[in-house]
Amino acid sequence: MSCRQKRQRPAGTGRQGKAKDLPSLNDTTASAQRARLLAALKHKAIDTITIRRHLSILMPAARIKELRDQGHRIVTARVGRYDDQGRPHRNVALYTLVGGAK
């Protein structure tokens, strides 16, 4: 590949689905993480494993607390989930935004 050619992704490997609707995953500031998390919660309930994997938020509980401190009503339920390696996890937090947006 010459230095003038631009490397292209193979078809179908770009960002797809809801990730493109969320604020940038490259921004790791707490405010950007809260924005991504709140945007995801407005669509559906989301669990800790999914938040870490798809939203690039390593400490979801901290971001949930901050959103609650801002006045958002978020309830937590404990559920069973499997991780990417197929291992079962009990008591994974499932967060749901109650009453829509603040």
Side-chain angles (χ1 to χ4, degrees), residues 53-91:
R53 182 186 313 132
H54 295 292
L55 299 182
S56 190
I57 299 173
L58 297 182
M59 295 178 55
R63 303 295 85 86
I64 290 292
K65 182 195 179 305
E66 293 163 358
L67 289 172
R68 286 176 174 151
D69 290 346
Q70 291 177 357
H72 298 282
R73 290 191 56 222
I74 301 169
V75 295
T76 304
R78 295 296 176 171
V79 296
R81 291 287 189 263
Y82 289 89
D83 63 18
D84 292 338
Q85 291 75 37
R87 294 180 296 234
H89 294 269
R90 294 180 300 182
N91 295 319

Side-chain angles (χ1 to χ4, degrees), residues 23-38:
S24 172
L25 294 175
N26 294 327
D27 190 345
T28 58
T29 62
S31 62
Q33 290 180 18
R34 284 191 302 271
R36 286 196 301 269
L37 184 51
L38 186 58

Side-chain angles (χ1 to χ4, degrees), residues 6-28:
K6 197 172 185 182
R7 181 179 249 181
Q8 295 181 353
R9 292 181 181 185
T13 60
R15 288 197 296 179
Q16 300 171 351
K18 293 182 182 166
K20 69 179 181 180
D21 300 330
L22 299 174
S24 172
L25 294 175
N26 294 327
D27 190 345
T28 58

